[in-house]
Amino acid sequence: VQLQASGGGVVQAGGSLRLSCAASGRTFSGYAAGWFRQAPGQEREFVAAITSGRRYTYYADSVKGRFTISRDNAENTVFLQMNSLKPEDTAVYYCAADKVTGVTPREYDYWGQGTLVTVSS
């Protein structure tokens, strides 16, 4: 599976962004997908994940109630809607995919290239 993340940018605190992750190469509907982020000098951390059939979603406590993960299997795309953004959300955001849903980076075999989100105060 090849993944291409997009949608990052600069936004003021309290604003919104929608990230997209386009998949190609295999039947994406059979893969779980996740979003992770990595701030400078920090380890990559879990943000959100969604099962292949869209039945279950998982969120880090720090983004619950503000971020929403979704997917359109017909379009082979996963989204991350980010609302009420805070400066501490600033990071490079990565999408990932694997056959099994996970909440740690090591559980995912396929990764996109990352898209930078900067939230100004």
Side-chain angles (χ1 to χ4, degrees):
V1 177
Q2 291 80 47
L3 303 173
Q4 179 77 31
S6 62
V10 180
V11 63
Q12 287 190 329
S16 298
L17 279 175
R18 189 193 198 202
L19 305 184
S20 298
C21 178
S24 62
R26 294 191 181 183
T27 305
F28 186 58
S29 60
Y31 287 77
W35 286 96
F36 292 79
R37 67 187 181 186
Q38 188 166 17
Q42 298 188 18
E43 294 186 353
R44 193 168 297 189
E45 66 173 6
F46 171 73
V47 175
I50 187 167
T51 54
S52 59
R54 297 178 292 179
R55 185 171 184 178
Y56 298 105
T57 57
Y58 306 88
Y59 296 94
D61 288 343
S62 59
V63 306
K64 276 181 184 176
R66 300 188 297 123
F67 290 12
T68 302
I69 188 171
S70 61
R71 64 189 298 163
D72 183 339
N73 285 337
E75 296 295 328
N76 290 339
T77 305
V78 177
F79 304 98
L80 185 68
Q81 178 66 43
M82 306 186 295
N83 299 329
S84 302
L85 282 161
K86 304 175 181 179
E88 51 263 44
D89 294 318
T90 295
V92 177
Y93 283 71
Y94 298 89
C95 59
D98 207 280
K99 280 292 191 177
V100 179
T101 311
V103 297
T104 62
R106 68 180 67 181
E107 295 177 274
Y108 289 84
D109 283 340
Y110 303 99
W111 289 86
Q113 86 289 0
T115 185
L116 177 62
V117 172
T118 302
V119 184
S120 61
S121 57

